[in-house]
Amino acid sequence: MTQPTPDAAAATPFTTLSSHAAFGGRQLFLQHASTEIGLPMKLSVYLPPQAEQGPVPALVYLAGLTCNEETFMVKAGAQRLAAELGLALIAPDTSPRGPAAESLEGATASWDFGIGAGFYLDATQEPWRTHWRMESYLMRELLPLLRRHQPIAGDRIGLFGHSMGGHGALTLALRHPGVFGSLSAFAPICAPTQCPWGEKAFTGYLGPDRGAWAEHDATVLMENQPIAPYPGGILIDQGLADKFLADQLHPHLFESACQAIGQPLTLRRHAGYDHGYYFIQTFMEDHLRHHASALQR
């Protein structure tokens, strides 16, 4: 692909950790110093071959618990079709990293989340509030930087994610209307105020006030929408052999909220599929085509 000019390279905030040819495009692994997080942050970017000719639509993927910026690009098998469709793929890390973040592991006696579990919100409680600012990082820092320094069309960005990242995709899309042109999720945490994962994370990050929790619950947010925010439809895939389905995910609650306000939702339930990346690989093409049809109009 075309290399940046010396002036452009000097101006970019991103350091390229590695670059790989893939399906006629480039798979990049990047790092930058985040002002919102206060620590270095990593991300991965796949640029399709069409990016050599100008800005292309982009999909932001939010990964789940225990994952990082490499998980999606290595496991999801999305680059081949993204190259065909002319879509850039962007996958940020799931939480702060490094010694300053790792020193907080175990800071709360009952806390078993932390590294890799940012939940895509801004923590308000100590000791997390200083660095765990994933919502501000994504919306106020990373997306503007990507618009300025990568060949993506800033007005044609879609959002999707898996599990905790599915929660992040649904909630950020609803909390920031007009930013994302398309939305989908794999096995998302749909009602975190009503599941053990969400209750534990929200207590740690946001404190005991359940009113604050509701602001980051996709089902509650959808219930409170004045009109359908995505008239073109939202796509969710859920495996019926997913061991987390009954206790943690609750897609039926989000489905009911969508029905109540007339939000088109395609919620597909698949017998035999679990929570992992073989499930995601199986239905990745449908999600990429869902976003492409909305972003390339």
Side-chain angles (χ1 to χ4, degrees):
M1 295 189 71
T2 303
Q3 296 298 311
T5 64
D7 287 345
T12 182
F14 298 113
T15 298
T16 300
L17 302 178
S18 65
S19 175
H20 313 271
F23 301 102
R26 299 299 299 183
Q27 176 63 62
L28 306 174
F29 293 93
L30 309 175
Q31 180 172 292
H32 72 113
S34 168
T35 56
E36 288 288 346
I37 299 293
L39 295 169
M41 291 294 290
K42 294 180 180 179
L43 66 149
S44 56
V45 175
Y46 176 70
L47 296 176
Q50 296 86 338
E52 289 189 344
Q53 278 70 55
V56 294
L59 299 183
V60 177
Y61 177 87
L62 305 181
L65 286 166
T66 76
C67 296
N68 60 29
E69 77 286 349
E70 295 184 351
T71 307
F72 172 76
M73 297 299 184
V74 172
K75 291 186 175 183
Q79 291 94 331
R80 179 194 60 79
L81 185 57
E84 176 185 322
L85 297 174
L87 296 173
L89 303 172
I90 299 159
D93 202 349
T94 54
S95 82
R97 305 275 176 176
E102 292 165 4
S103 68
L104 299 182
E105 289 281 355
T108 304
S110 63
W111 186 249
D112 61 2
F113 290 156
I115 303 300
F119 269 80
Y120 304 102
L121 51 75
D122 289 354
T124 60
Q125 304 298 300
E126 298 293 351
W128 313 104
R129 63 185 298 170
T130 300
H131 299 304
W132 264 254
R133 296 177 47 79
M134 290 300 294
E135 180 173 8
S136 288
Y137 168 66
L138 291 170
M139 304 306 301
R140 297 172 53 183
E141 183 174 15
L142 184 59
L143 283 179
L145 287 176
L146 290 167
R147 290 186 182 103
R148 289 198 297 269
H149 298 285
Q150 295 293 331
I152 67 172
D155 60 344
R156 291 187 290 160
I157 299 177
L159 185 62
F160 67 150
H162 169 233
S163 192
M164 178 188 73
H167 143 76
L170 296 177
T171 57
L172 292 180
L174 295 175
R175 285 172 57 81
H176 299 272
V179 174
F180 302 104
S182 54
L183 177 61
S184 73
F186 296 93
I189 304 171
C190 289
T193 61
Q194 301 183 56
C195 76
W197 280 344
E199 289 177 350
K200 181 168 285 188
F202 286 1
T203 299
Y205 290 145
L206 302 175
D209 179 8
R210 283 182 171 264
W213 298 9
E215 297 176 9
H216 301 277
D217 184 304
T219 295
V220 175
L221 290 168
M222 185 60 76
E223 290 171 343
N224 292 330
Q225 296 295 307
I227 60 172
Y230 285 89
I234 298 169
L235 173 62
I236 293 178
D237 278 301
Q238 175 63 60
L240 293 180
D242 188 327
K243 65 182 180 180
F244 303 117
L245 175 57
D247 294 333
Q248 303 285 9
L249 304 180
H250 301 319
H252 64 288
L253 298 179
F254 187 74
E255 182 179 39
S256 295
C258 288
Q259 290 173 347
I261 70 155
Q263 168 61 54
L265 171 68
T266 301
L267 172 55
R268 307 190 302 185
R269 297 171 169 91
H270 305 282
Y273 286 91
D274 61 21
H275 198 69
Y277 269 81
Y278 295 116
F279 156 63
I280 292 173
Q281 289 175 18
T282 301
F283 301 105
M284 179 56 63
E285 179 173 350
D286 294 342
H287 284 250
L288 295 187
R289 292 192 184 280
H290 165 79
H291 289 278
S293 66
L295 299 176
Q296 295 180 332
R297 292 173 180 171

